């Protein structure tokens, strides 16, 4: 009797597990509980059985019974009910976002950043009458600290520092420094020293107030002219810490030559600012997703100058796509790539996609992804989906990319804003 029960139990267990592998059940399970769409987008759901029906009473969405699809009509929240024989079996929460369109970039840009205050990038010894000392080290100033005030005076560039140091040294007074370290404001006292045989006093610190480089424009929003570029943070070359931006500019740039990449040796775009050094826009933010600000006027790439819709992270598909970038002069060209994988992220993260360059022309010219290509926009099915960010050192044909929705968020283009309540 006991043996019979065991056999029946095993048979039932196998039967229940087997049901889970049947196509109707798998397709039913694949129907999501949540759905995020842009205005005008249609999402086809898996239809498990002919008896499955779909309905919604909310005007923000409509349903297409024949295709078993949800159509996003207008911004707002809605609910779609899946029924069998009139009985609800699953509810799908639908969020319809404002239809955002951006103009893709691809242009080579020069970047000029001014730091918040002055950045400490190193220490040095002063050969004084009392021996070799570094006033900065004695004052416990660390590499990566940002000096924002000296004796209560706001510091914006290095030219302001020397007179204050000299005055304090001649008066045999200490300097009161306000520094930022890891988002914490600290107060320090520093006594300048004079080197033997010199008349000037020194801090014993190497400091910097600006940085420059080149990259690629990703997009701009045509109404606000807000833009995003690079797809990754700009860090100081000495401290390897993100540069805290006071202000900055992007300027026109051209690619002069290419250092081709190979396994273990990433290549690089060699570029310079154009002779006219035309200022294209401001820089107000330096974040893990790139640099952001506003353009002074719209920019054209002569390939895709019309505003394109965007694709959210969960809508990106593995398969063919295009990037826009410059490999010679100022000419933007379109090249083939493959989306190897994409993570449907609910929260911002920089490495959302793995991509691979497949275009023979680009592989011949660069070897794949190279430095300076960061920020090149990625387009799939006529929509902007993200930007190139990093290259794999051991395989320069492949690298990472970030999703466009996080760059838009950093740029201040709010695609998740609730529709403003209508005035009564």
């Amino acid at each position: 009797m006991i043996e019979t029960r065991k056999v029946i139990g095993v048979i039932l267990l196998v039967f229940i597990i087997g049901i889970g592998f049947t196509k109707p059940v798998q397709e039913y399970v694949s129907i999501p509980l949540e759905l995020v769409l842009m205005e005008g987008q249609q999402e086809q759901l898996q239809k498990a059985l002919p008896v499955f029906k779909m309905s919604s009473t909310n005007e923000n969405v409509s349903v297409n019974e024949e295709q078993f699809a949800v159509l996003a009509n207008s911004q707002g929240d809605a609910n779609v009910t899946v029924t069998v024989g009139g009985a609800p079996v699953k509810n799908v929460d639908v969020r319809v976002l404002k239809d955002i369109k951006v103009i893709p970039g691809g242009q080579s840009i020069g970047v000029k950043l001014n730091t918040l205050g002055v950045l400490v990038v190193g220490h040095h010894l002063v050969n004084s009458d009392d021996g070799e000392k570094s006033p900065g080290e004695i004052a416990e100033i660390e590499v990566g600290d940002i000096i924002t005030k000296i004796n209560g005076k706001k510091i914006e560039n290095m030219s302001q520092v020397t007179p204050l140091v000299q005055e304090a040294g001649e008066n045999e007074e200490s300097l009161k420094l306000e520094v930022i370290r890891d988002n914490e404001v600290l107060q320090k006292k520093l006594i300048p020293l004079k080197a033997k045989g010199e008349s000037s006093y020194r801090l014993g610190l190497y400091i910097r107030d600006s940085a420059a480089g080149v990259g690629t424009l990703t997009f701009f929003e045509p109404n606000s002219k807000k833009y995003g570029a690079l797809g990754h943070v700009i860090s100081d070359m000495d401290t390897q810490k993100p540069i805290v931006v006071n202000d900055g500019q992007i300027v026109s740039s051209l690619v002069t030559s290419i250092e081709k990449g190979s396994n273990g040796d990433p290549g690089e775009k060699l570029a310079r600012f154009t002779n006219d050094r035309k200022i294209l826009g401001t820089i107000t933010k330096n974040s893990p997703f790139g640099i952001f600000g506003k353009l002074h006027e719209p920019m054209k790439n002569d390939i895709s100058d019309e505003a394109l819709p965007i694709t959210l992270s969960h809508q990106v598909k593995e398969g063919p796509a295009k990037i826009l970038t410059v490999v010679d002069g100022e000419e933007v060209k379109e090249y083939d790539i493959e989306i190897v994988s994409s993570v449907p992220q609910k929260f911002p993260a920089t490495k959302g996609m793995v991509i691979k360059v497949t275009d023979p022309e680009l592989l011949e010219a660069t070897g794949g992804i190279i430095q300076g290509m960061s920020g090149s926009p990625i387009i799939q099915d006529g929509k902007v989906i993200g930007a190139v960010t990093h290259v794999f050192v051991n395989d320069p044909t492949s690298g990472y990319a970030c999703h466009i929705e996080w760059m838009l968020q950093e740029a201040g283009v709010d695609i998740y804003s609730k529709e403003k309540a209508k005035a009564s």
Side-chain angles (χ1 to χ4, degrees):
M1 186 70 176
I2 295 175
E3 289 299 322
T4 302
R5 287 179 178 176
K6 285 183 178 180
V7 171
I8 293 172
V10 170
I11 293 172
L12 287 174
L13 180 62
V14 172
F15 176 74
I16 293 170
I17 293 173
I19 289 175
F21 287 97
T22 61
K23 187 174 180 180
V25 172
Q26 287 182 327
E27 290 185 344
Y28 166 74
V29 171
S30 71
I31 297 174
L33 294 174
E34 296 179 340
L35 198 58
V36 182
L37 300 172
M38 311 294 290
E39 289 176 324
Q41 283 187 338
Q42 178 171 294
E43 182 85 1
Q44 186 171 9
L45 307 180
Q46 296 283 0
K47 189 170 183 178
L49 295 169
V51 294
F52 275 51
K53 302 293 182 183
M54 199 165 46
S55 64
S56 177
T57 58
N58 193 296
E59 63 182 13
N60 297 112
V61 300
S62 55
V63 297
N64 185 324
E65 283 282 15
E66 186 176 338
Q67 297 183 5
F68 207 66
V70 179
L71 175 63
N73 296 325
S74 58
Q75 184 180 2
D77 296 329
N79 182 269
V80 172
T81 303
V82 179
T83 62
V84 175
V89 294
K90 183 171 269 192
N91 287 317
V92 181
D93 293 322
V94 182
R95 188 175 185 186
V96 181
L97 305 179
K98 182 180 177 182
D99 183 28
I100 298 291
K101 292 184 178 181
V102 298
I103 296 178
Q107 300 91 336
S108 179
I109 56 172
V111 178
K112 299 196 301 184
L113 286 178
N114 297 315
T115 63
L116 177 69
V118 293
L119 177 67
V120 178
V121 297
H123 299 97
H124 70 83
L125 297 173
V126 179
N127 187 16
S128 67
D129 292 333
D130 297 326
E132 292 189 337
K133 299 178 181 179
S134 170
E137 281 189 310
I138 294 171
E140 298 181 339
I141 305 295
E142 297 182 3
V143 171
D145 285 353
I146 302 169
I147 301 172
T148 55
K149 289 183 181 179
I150 297 179
N151 291 344
K153 184 177 180 179
K154 185 178 180 181
I155 300 300
E156 296 180 335
N157 54 65
M158 292 193 299
S159 64
Q160 297 173 279
V161 176
T162 301
L164 294 172
V165 173
Q166 190 66 22
E167 181 182 358
E170 291 174 353
N171 294 330
E172 298 183 353
E173 296 175 345
S174 63
L175 292 168
K176 297 178 181 179
L177 307 183
E178 181 176 287
V179 303
I180 297 176
R181 180 186 301 161
D182 297 328
N183 296 319
E184 183 181 0
V185 178
L186 306 173
Q187 306 297 326
K188 299 290 183 180
K189 285 188 176 182
L190 186 150
I191 302 174
L193 289 177
K194 184 170 64 174
K196 290 180 179 179
E198 295 185 6
S199 59
S200 59
Y201 286 81
R202 300 173 183 263
L203 292 174
L205 297 172
Y206 293 114
I207 57 176
R208 182 180 295 132
D209 63 4
S210 62
V214 294
T216 303
L217 181 74
T218 305
F219 72 89
F220 71 91
E221 198 280 317
N223 296 319
S224 64
K225 295 187 180 66
K226 293 178 179 178
Y227 77 85
L230 299 190
H232 63 75
V233 72
I234 298 178
S235 298
D236 181 77
M237 61 182 179
D238 292 309
T239 67
Q240 299 303 309
K241 292 186 177 182
I243 294 175
V244 181
V245 175
N246 182 44
D247 57 45
Q249 301 169 332
I250 57 171
V251 300
S252 55
S253 167
L254 59 85
V255 177
T256 56
S257 61
I258 297 290
E259 287 187 357
K260 194 172 180 178
S262 59
N263 288 351
D265 185 17
E268 183 180 3
K269 286 185 185 183
L270 301 179
R272 62 173 177 81
F273 298 170
T274 56
N275 292 333
D276 60 5
R277 292 178 177 253
K278 182 180 179 182
I279 298 174
L280 305 174
T282 62
I283 300 173
T284 56
K285 191 174 189 179
N286 177 33
S287 87
F289 295 91
I291 57 171
F292 302 90
K294 289 185 74 172
L295 296 180
H296 293 324
E297 58 187 48
M299 293 178 61
K300 290 187 176 183
N301 58 31
D302 296 327
I303 288 183
S304 180
D305 291 321
E306 297 295 323
L308 300 179
I310 67 165
T311 298
L312 301 174
S313 65
H314 69 280
Q315 297 170 326
V316 174
K317 301 177 295 184
E318 295 178 2
K322 306 275 188 181
I323 64 169
L324 302 179
T325 199
V326 176
V327 295
D328 184 33
E330 298 179 75
E331 183 183 6
V332 179
K333 286 188 175 182
E334 187 177 70
Y335 299 100
D336 293 323
I337 67 165
E338 185 87 7
I339 307 297
V340 177
S341 65
S342 177
V343 180
Q345 299 164 322
K346 289 189 176 181
F347 302 99
T350 55
K351 298 176 180 178
M353 292 177 277
V354 174
I355 62 173
K356 185 177 183 67
V357 175
T358 57
D359 194 289
E361 182 182 348
L362 187 59
L363 289 170
E364 176 63 28
T366 66
I369 300 169
I370 57 175
Q371 296 176 41
M373 199 178 283
S374 299
S376 299
I378 305 173
I379 299 172
Q380 186 180 61
D381 297 333
K383 299 177 182 179
V384 181
I385 68 171
V388 178
T389 59
H390 298 84
V391 60
F392 293 164
V393 175
N394 293 325
D395 178 15
T397 65
S398 302
Y400 286 117
C402 68
H403 290 115
I404 191 65
E405 63 182 295
W406 310 133
M407 291 189 72
L408 286 168
Q409 185 172 297
E410 292 290 305
V413 180
D414 190 2
I415 62 176
Y416 294 102
S417 62
K418 295 284 187 180
E419 187 177 17
K420 293 183 179 178
K422 295 180 180 178
S424 58

